[in-house]
Amino acid sequence: MGKVTTGATMSLDGYIAGPGESGFDLLFQWYGNGDVEIPSASPDVPPPHISAASAELIKLEWENTGALVVGRHLYDMTNAWGGRHPMNVTTVVLTHRRPDDRPEDDENFVFVTDGIEAAVARAKELAGDKHVVVNGGQIARQCLEAGLLDEVGIELVPVVLGGGKTLFGELGPTPVQFEGPIAVVEGIGVTHLRYRVKR
Amino acid sequence: MGKVTTGATMSLDGYIAGPGESGFDLLFQWYGNGDVEIPSASPDVPPPHISAASAELIKLEWENTGALVVGRHLYDMTNAWGGRHPMNVTTVVLTHRRPDDRPEDDENFVFVTDGIEAAVARAKELAGDKHVVVNGGQIARQCLEAGLLDEVGIELVPVVLGGGKTLFGELGPTPVQFEGPIAVVEGIGVTHLRYRVKR
């Protein structure tokens, strides 16, 4: 069975978003500074153009992803990625209440209202042998706290934001130790680091 | 002339100290998990034993350091490292008031009361062709804000602390962009990353 992983692009001072949801242009420079196009299944999100070194890693990770779990905040903020997630997989949305404008689960979105365990379990069913990726910081935090997370990926970029949102937010039972990095890949303006949760 | 650099050991979620000054045992595991001893000039600080890969980098950096600048908080917290800093160089202490128990500047400590520019200038004189290292987060932040910092080193360790002190604290004029990493070295349980401040 696949792993449950999360990932985020992070500043040198540990922020995945700057003060007041700023800094995304600086954090995601590496999404547009290379020659290799990564296809995007979203009509709203243009395909990233990243360096060959980054692409070798990211392409494989996208191909090996079978389903996503995201929070309602991310789903709303992105306007449901215009209908389908860029990674071209079914996205499980953890929410208190199903959105009115999307009454049935379909191949694009599945809504789960009974907690993080149920959301991850549903995503694992959908993913089969492939991996489940969980996103936003709050969802990643819940997975880590519930012992559901296997790996974390950090795309470390050379900017200092001075404040904002941290990788897992305010964690309950900390500290948490990891193994690794199990992979280090140097892109252009980004260092990709992969870690395994220690059990 | 030498560079002005700072460095810190940082958790995956961007903290250089955990909540309530906790987590140092986890952050600094890499100081004791290797076979190569780095000599310490401090009677209070035992010599680090680090991996060969880490030592190749750290030894060179220590040898190329000609003076330090630290804040009064660090000087007090460490009890002046028992009389001399582990790196075996003169330490410039930025303080509002000279300590009563150390009336004269000597080869171990020099006290500067008129601001970060004066402290760094004094350290540069002492360092000659070698580099100046500035420490604690608040001192590093002041140097970055004053345009005095040339490089930053991060020792990224596989632990999540969930809260605490960040690398530069709350920065005024952010964001700040860097170049690099200009060096990436994989130790045991630590990834050493070096960046250059973009001007």
Side-chain angles (χ1 to χ4, degrees), chain A residues 10 12 26 158 160 175-176 178 181, chain B residues 10 12 26 158 160 175-176 178 181 186:
Chain A
M10 190 172 98
L12 291 191
L26 295 170
V160 163
V176 181
F178 293 77
Chain B
M10 190 172 98
L12 291 191
L26 295 169
V160 164
V176 181
F178 294 78
E186 193 52 45

Side-chain angles (χ1 to χ4, degrees), chain A residues 68 70 75 90-95 98 102 104-113 119 122-123 126:
Chain A
L68 286 156
V70 305
Y75 172 86
T90 304
T91 301
V92 176
V93 182
L94 181 60
T95 180
R98 302 178 59 91
R102 192 179 283 276
E104 300 291 333
D105 291 351
D106 62 17
E107 60 167 2
N108 296 316
F109 295 102
V110 168
F111 299 91
V112 169
T113 55
R122 187 77 187 88
L126 291 164

Side-chain angles (χ1 to χ4, degrees), chain A residues 158-170:
Chain A
V159 61
V160 163
L161 294 176
K165 271 190 200 173
T166 58
L167 182 55
F168 290 107
E170 295 290 319

Side-chain angles (χ1 to χ4, degrees), chain A residues 10 12 15 26 29 154 156 158-162 166-167 170-171 174-178 180-181 184 186 191 193 195, chain B residues 10 12 15 26 29 154 156 158-162 166-167 170-171 174-178 180-181 184 186 191 193 195:
Chain A
M10 190 172 98
L12 291 191
Y15 297 105
L26 295 170
Q29 280 175 332
I154 293 175
L156 195 69
V159 61
V160 163
L161 294 176
T166 58
L167 182 55
E170 295 290 319
L171 264 175
T174 46
V176 181
Q177 294 199 63
F178 293 77
V184 180
E186 194 52 45
T191 306
L193 300 141
Y195 297 89
Chain B
M10 190 172 98
L12 291 191
Y15 297 105
L26 295 169
Q29 280 175 332
I154 292 174
L156 194 69
V159 61
V160 164
L161 295 175
T166 56
L167 182 55
E170 296 289 318
L171 264 175
T174 46
V176 181
Q177 294 200 63
F178 294 78
V184 180
E186 193 52 45
T191 306
L193 300 141
Y195 297 89

Side-chain angles (χ1 to χ4, degrees), chain B residues 182-199:
Chain B
I182 52 178
V184 180
V185 173
E186 193 52 45
I188 296 174
V190 61
T191 306
H192 307 280
L193 300 141
R194 302 292 179 261
Y195 297 89
R196 197 179 289 129
V197 179
K198 212 180 231 180
R199 292 233 161 76

Side-chain angles (χ1 to χ4, degrees), chain B residues 128-185:
Chain B
D129 291 336
K130 293 189 171 184
H131 305 315
V132 170
V133 170
V134 302
N135 264 330
Q138 292 306 315
I139 295 289
R141 179 184 59 74
Q142 288 183 45
C143 285
L144 187 57
E145 289 178 346
L148 298 169
L149 197 68
D150 297 308
E151 287 182 17
V152 59
I154 292 174
E155 333 299 349
L156 194 69
V157 296
V159 61
V160 164
L161 295 175
K165 271 191 200 173
T166 56
L167 182 55
F168 290 106
E170 296 289 318
L171 264 175
T174 46
V176 181
Q177 294 200 63
F178 294 78
E179 289 168 345
I182 52 178
V184 180
V185 173

Side-chain angles (χ1 to χ4, degrees), chain A residues 16-89:
Chain A
I16 62 167
E21 303 273 325
S22 68
F24 293 116
D25 51 331
L26 295 170
L27 285 169
F28 289 101
Q29 280 175 332
W30 71 275
Y31 259 49
N33 69 6
D35 297 326
V36 183
E37 179 172 307
I38 307 290
S40 167
S42 157
D44 286 3
V45 181
H49 289 83
I50 61 182
S51 70
S54 292
E56 199 179 339
L57 176 73
I58 300 296
K59 254 188 149 159
L60 199 66
E61 290 186 341
W62 281 34
E63 284 166 10
N64 289 335
T65 299
L68 286 156
V69 177
V70 305
R72 181 63 186 268
H73 176 67
L74 197 55
Y75 172 86
D76 286 340
M77 204 178 72
T78 60
N79 194 24
W81 294 274
R84 188 162 177 81
H85 191 280
M87 290 174 85
N88 203 24
V89 293

